[in-house]
Amino acid sequence: MLAVFAAFAAVWIIGGIMGASTRARGGMIVVIWALVVLSLLILPDGGLRAGLGDLRLWLVLGGVAALTLAYRRGLGALRERAKPMEEAKPQGTFREAELNRYARHILLREIGGPGQKRLKAAKVLVIGAGGLGSPVCLYLAAAGVGVIGVVDDDTVDSSNLQRQIIHRDQGIGMPKVHSAAEAMRALNPFVEVRPYQRRLDEDSAAALFAEYDLILDGTDNFDTRYMVNRVAARLGKPLIAGAITQWEGQISLYDPARGTPCYQCVFPERPAPGMVPTCAEAGVAAPLPGVIGSIMAMEAVKHLTGAGQTLAGRLMIHDALYTETRVISIKPRPDCPVCGNLHS
C-alpha cells in the first residue's frame, strides 16, 4: 500500500517538473487508483492483493477524492456565474460601462482619467433649457458631468423646435426642464439630472447657486443675466454666459473671485428697450445656438478639468453670417458695483 502512495507522489512531483497540468497529473493518479481497485476485485487472496491493502479503504479514499473534486468544480462554477456581477460593480471611480463611454476623453492628455474624475465629481447648473441650454445640457451629460441642474419655468412650444434640439415634437406642452431631463438621462444614465421648474429671483438663485460648482447662463433677457451675474459674483461662483441674436453670438467666462471681470464690468448698463431685440422679435438662425451653446459646454469642460486656456478674461464674438470669430481681452472695472470691491 505504501508503494502505491509513493507512486501517487512520484506521478505528482515528476509531472510537475515536466510541466504537466494539475488536471493531467490528477488524471494519472485516478488511473492508478482505478487499477488498484480493479486488482483488489479480481486478484485471489494473498500475494499482491494482500500488499495492496483493504478494498474498502481504497473505496473510501476514492469517494473522498471524488467529493473534493466535485466541491472544487462547483465552487469554480459559482465563481464563473458571479463574474458578471463583479464586472457591474464600480472599478474605482468608474464602472466598466463608463470607462468605455468616456474612453475618448481619457485618451486626451489634457483630460485623462484625473480630468474625467473631476467631471464626474462636478455639479453644474444650467439656467435656461432653450436654444443655448439645449446643446449645453446634451454635451455636459455626454461628457459625464456628475450632477447637472437645469432651471427654466417655460414649457415646450412648437416654435422652439427650430433650434432647441433637446426637445421633441411629442414634448410640446411639457415643462422644458422635464423634457430636457428626459433627453439627458436617455443619453447618459450615469449622470444625475436635477430639474427646477421655476423663475429665479435673487433669493432663490443664491440658495440654488450655493449647491453648484459652476453656473452656465443661457437666458434670453437682460434682467435675469444681470441678476445671475450679481449672485454668482457674490458667492464666488464662476459663470459662463452666452447670448445670441439673429446671426451673432458671444460668450465669456466671468470669475471675478479669481481676477476676471464680471458680466457687468463688460456690459455696465442694460440696453434700452428695443435696442437689442430678442430671438422672438428678430429671429435667429437655427444652428447658431448650437454653435455658441457647444462652445459654452466646451468652456465648462475645460474649466472643470483644467485643460487648455478658457475664455476667462476674454470675450468671444462669433458672426455666423460671415463666418468670422473674434476674441477680445476684457478687464475688470474698479468702479463696477458688482465686483469692484474684489479688485481694489
Side-chain angles (χ1 to χ4, degrees):
M1 189 171 183
L2 290 176
V4 176
F5 282 110
F8 287 168
V11 166
W12 189 263
I13 294 170
I14 294 172
I17 293 172
M18 295 177 66
S21 66
T22 302
R23 180 174 293 183
R25 286 181 284 168
M28 288 298 299
I29 290 174
V30 170
V31 169
I32 295 173
W33 174 84
L35 290 172
V36 170
V37 171
L38 184 61
S39 299
L40 289 170
L41 289 173
I42 64 175
L43 289 175
D45 293 340
L48 179 59
R49 178 171 177 173
L52 292 175
D54 191 344
L55 174 62
R56 289 172 296 180
L57 176 60
W58 285 105
L59 292 174
V60 169
L61 288 174
V64 170
L67 287 172
T68 303
L69 181 61
Y71 173 78
R72 290 189 62 183
R73 291 205 172 189
L75 190 59
L78 288 173
R79 285 175 177 166
E80 285 297 317
R81 288 179 62 186
K83 276 185 180 179
M85 295 176 62
E86 292 172 355
E87 291 172 359
K89 292 179 181 177
Q91 299 183 357
T93 303
F94 300 104
R95 298 173 183 268
E96 183 70 25
E98 290 177 279
L99 293 175
N100 292 333
R101 180 180 292 263
Y102 307 132
R104 302 306 185 273
H105 261 181
I106 294 170
L107 287 172
L108 291 173
R109 178 182 60 188
E110 296 83 359
I111 295 180
Q116 194 62 46
K117 287 181 180 179
R118 286 193 284 272
L119 288 175
K120 182 168 184 174
K123 296 180 178 180
V124 177
L125 181 66
V126 181
I127 305 172
L132 293 173
S134 291
V136 165
C137 288
L138 289 173
Y139 273 115
L140 292 182
V145 172
V147 177
I148 305 169
V150 56
V151 185
D152 201 305
D153 69 337
D154 202 2
T155 57
V156 179
D157 184 80
S158 61
S159 64
N160 303 145
L161 304 181
Q162 169 248 13
R163 66 205 175 278
Q164 299 181 17
I165 57 172
I166 202 167
H167 307 300
R168 296 292 178 265
D169 191 73
Q170 301 92 317
I172 291 174
M174 185 178 184
K176 283 185 178 180
V177 291
H178 295 304
S179 173
E182 282 188 5
M184 285 188 278
R185 290 168 183 149
L187 178 62
N188 189 350
F190 299 109
V191 300
E192 179 185 344
V193 182
R194 299 176 181 175
Y196 304 97
Q197 188 187 6
R198 65 182 71 164
R199 179 172 288 275
L200 285 178
D201 57 33
E202 202 131 350
D203 291 334
S204 63
L208 191 57
F209 289 12
E211 301 178 25
Y212 289 87
D213 307 311
L214 175 64
I215 314 300
L216 278 80
D217 181 12
T219 56
D220 60 358
N221 71 84
F222 285 98
D223 290 338
T224 302
R225 289 177 192 167
Y226 281 97
M227 182 272 292
V228 166
N229 175 67
R230 286 194 302 273
V231 176
R234 186 167 72 244
L235 296 178
K237 302 290 183 177
L239 168 67
I240 296 173
I244 54 172
T245 183
Q246 296 185 319
W247 295 93
E248 188 173 290
Q250 63 186 34
I251 174 178
S252 185
L253 193 162
Y254 304 101
D255 194 5
R258 292 158 192 84
T260 79
C262 74
Y263 179 84
Q264 196 158 340
C265 287
V266 183
F267 305 100
E269 296 182 3
R270 185 192 191 285
M275 289 294 294
V276 182
T278 66
C279 294
E281 295 166 337
V284 61
L288 179 64
V291 173
I292 303 302
S294 295
I295 295 173
M296 291 175 68
M298 186 75 264
E299 289 299 301
V301 168
K302 290 193 299 177
H303 173 79
L304 294 169
T305 62
Q309 181 182 7
T310 68
L311 285 171
R314 301 188 297 160
L315 177 69
M316 192 201 84
I317 303 169
H318 177 69
D319 184 340
L321 189 59
Y322 295 99
T323 320
E324 293 179 350
T325 300
R326 314 191 302 277
V327 178
I328 60 176
S329 295
I330 52 177
K331 295 182 179 180
R333 283 194 308 115
D335 61 340
C336 175
V338 174
C339 69
N341 62 316
L342 296 175
H343 306 295
S344 57

